[in-house]
Amino acid sequence: MKDQNCIFCRISSGEIPTNTIYEDEKFRVILDAAPASKGHALILPKEHYADLYEIDTQLAGDAMMLAKKLAMHMTNVLQCDGFNLVQNNKEVAGQTVFHFHLHLIPRYQNMKNDDILNWSHEMFTEEEMKEICGRIKEGLY
Ligand code: AMP
Ligand code: ZN
């Protein structure tokens, strides 16, 4: 399904031209227009799913396999020193475009923008940690 009001539907279908680094029947991979680093790219499924909650499980797996392939290749050609995969879901988590996408962010030694993804650490008591752990485990298997 495509959504005519969705910018990533219009980009992934090719209707709006952009810097495409890879394309197959399921995905288009583009350069992020406001990159966090040199080569910052986005894996876009061609079908519209708002986020990880909505995306087809198999397609999410395919996106991760493609991320692995691209991270290996981009590390070679860009000579980056590391890599972040980032995937935001819902506004509270920083999502701004509500069409599932996986960020590929090459990281470089001595890079200016070295505070991307730096979060402060929260503290929980041992009791709270046990309670959280138990709650997440329940019904998972
Ligand atoms: P997120 O915050 O995870 O939803 O990420 C959205 C990303 O899409 C941001 O990094 C934007 O820079 C990028 N972006 C938004 N519009 C475009 C566009 N037209 N072409 C390429 N990248 C875009
Ligand atoms: Zn869309």
Side-chain angles (χ1 to χ4, degrees):
M1 199 195 84
K2 309 245 185 294
D3 177 347
Q4 258 311 109
N5 299 315
C6 170
I7 182 79
F8 283 178
C9 277
R10 299 176 70 192
I11 288 175
S12 61
S13 69
E15 183 195 331
I16 298 178
T18 192
N19 289 305
T20 294
I21 60 176
Y22 175 86
E23 184 183 5
D24 62 25
E25 68 284 359
K26 293 180 187 155
F27 300 100
R28 181 185 295 272
V29 185
I30 66 167
L31 288 184
D32 194 295
S37 70
K38 186 177 68 184
H40 180 176
L42 302 170
I43 297 180
L44 311 180
K46 291 186 172 180
E47 287 294 304
H48 181 89
Y49 297 96
D51 51 36
L52 186 67
Y53 298 108
E54 283 195 2
I55 193 171
D56 173 82
T57 302
Q58 180 63 54
L59 193 61
D62 293 341
M64 186 51 83
M65 287 204 284
L66 182 54
K68 159 82 176 168
K69 176 190 168 98
L70 283 159
M72 304 296 283
H73 178 73
M74 288 166 74
T75 297
N76 272 337
V77 297
L78 297 172
Q79 294 284 287
C80 59
D81 303 298
F83 222 91
N84 293 116
L85 297 182
V86 177
Q87 202 279 304
N88 300 324
N89 300 285
K90 307 288 184 192
E91 199 174 345
V92 69
Q95 186 176 10
T96 58
V97 180
F98 299 92
H99 174 127
F100 176 97
H101 52 282
L102 187 48
H103 292 258
L104 303 166
I105 308 178
R107 300 297 294 263
Y108 303 88
Q109 297 286 358
N110 307 320
M111 117 184 200
K112 287 193 302 277
N113 203 6
D114 65 356
D115 64 348
I116 24 179
L117 303 181
N118 268 358
W119 56 78
S120 59
H121 297 272
E122 287 204 46
M123 291 293 293
F124 295 95
T125 64
E126 198 47 47
E127 201 174 289
E128 288 170 325
M129 293 293 264
K130 284 206 162 51
E131 197 273 323
I132 294 162
C133 188
R135 187 131 49 97
I136 295 171
K137 279 162 85 168
E138 216 173 87
L140 188 57
Y141 297 98

